Amino acid sequence: MASSTGNFAGSHNYTFKTGRLCFRPVRLDDTADVFALKSDPRVFFWTEPQKHEPESEAWIRARLESDCYLSFCVEELPDTQLERTKQDEKTPVIGIVGGTQLPEIGYMFRPAYWGRGYATEAVKGFIEFYWDTFPDGHPTIAQAEERKFLKAVTGPVEEAPQTRASIAVLKK
């Protein structure tokens, strides 16, 4: 079950947790982590991966400057983190989940974390957080009818195993 804190005002300050994951707002100091995700062709199979880190910074700024996004960095909780060296003090961002253009939702994870159930846990946690926080839908969604649902878009099933895996996450 997700637990959350925060309030909505443009660049949100919500945080929440699930059994193994911690969710916090995307920040400018996440640019390198976001670029690691958005430049990986395995993650961006259906679209062009980013080639330059400033593109990731612009992506983050767009989310910080608009009420239409509700994006979260996903980190492992301390008791589930992979072994890290003592020099690595920053908890790595293993993925991003959230409202990409509400009511549309999306997620992406570093390939090293695929196959562990994190995407399923993150999507379930986000959906629970979303409806607990916005029982009538997000206030930036103009059409009342669209406030009643969230939607996710995937690529063609027959073209790639990545799409079948994403559909499996959404079915759970």
Side-chain angles (χ1 to χ4, degrees):
M1 174 178 271
S3 60
S4 67
T5 62
N7 59 20
F8 183 78
S11 175
H12 74 89
N13 65 354
Y14 289 106
T15 62
F16 65 99
K17 295 178 183 178
T18 59
R20 301 177 296 164
L21 303 172
C22 177
F23 301 77
R24 62 161 178 80
V26 177
R27 305 181 300 237
L28 278 176
D29 65 351
D30 294 319
T31 299
D33 286 322
V34 170
F35 182 67
L37 281 161
K38 294 180 80 55
S39 64
D40 190 321
R42 296 169 296 174
V43 176
F44 273 71
F45 184 80
W46 294 110
T47 59
E48 185 70 24
Q50 291 183 345
K51 294 187 181 353
H52 308 285
E53 199 168 286
E55 293 173 279
S56 293
E57 182 178 332
W59 182 89
I60 292 170
R61 283 188 189 282
R63 273 130 193 86
L64 296 177
E65 295 168 0
S66 173
D67 291 348
C68 296
Y69 298 104
L70 194 58
S71 300
F72 294 89
C73 284
V74 181
E75 300 171 342
E76 290 179 298
L77 289 172
D79 57 338
T80 57
Q81 290 174 357
L82 294 172
E83 281 294 319
R84 293 181 306 182
T85 62
K86 290 183 182 179
Q87 302 95 304
D88 184 13
E89 294 178 17
K90 185 179 185 264
T91 301
V93 172
I94 65 168
I96 295 174
V97 67
T100 56
Q101 190 170 14
L102 293 166
E104 187 174 305
I105 64 170
Y107 64 91
M108 59 182 132
F109 281 83
R110 291 180 188 236
Y113 296 88
W114 291 358
R116 298 175 189 207
Y118 285 161
T120 300
E121 184 174 334
V123 170
K124 283 181 177 180
F126 175 77
I127 291 170
E128 182 179 325
F129 156 81
Y130 180 87
W131 291 117
D132 285 350
T133 307
F134 305 107
D136 296 322
H138 196 273
T140 63
I141 301 173
Q143 301 297 324
E145 192 60 34
E146 286 189 350
R147 289 190 190 144
K148 297 178 183 176
F149 62 88
L150 293 172
K151 64 181 177 179
V153 179
T154 63
V157 176
E158 61 278 353
E159 292 191 29
Q162 293 92 328
T163 301
R164 288 190 295 276
S166 287
I167 289 172
V169 166
L170 297 172
K171 283 182 177 180
K172 296 176 189 175

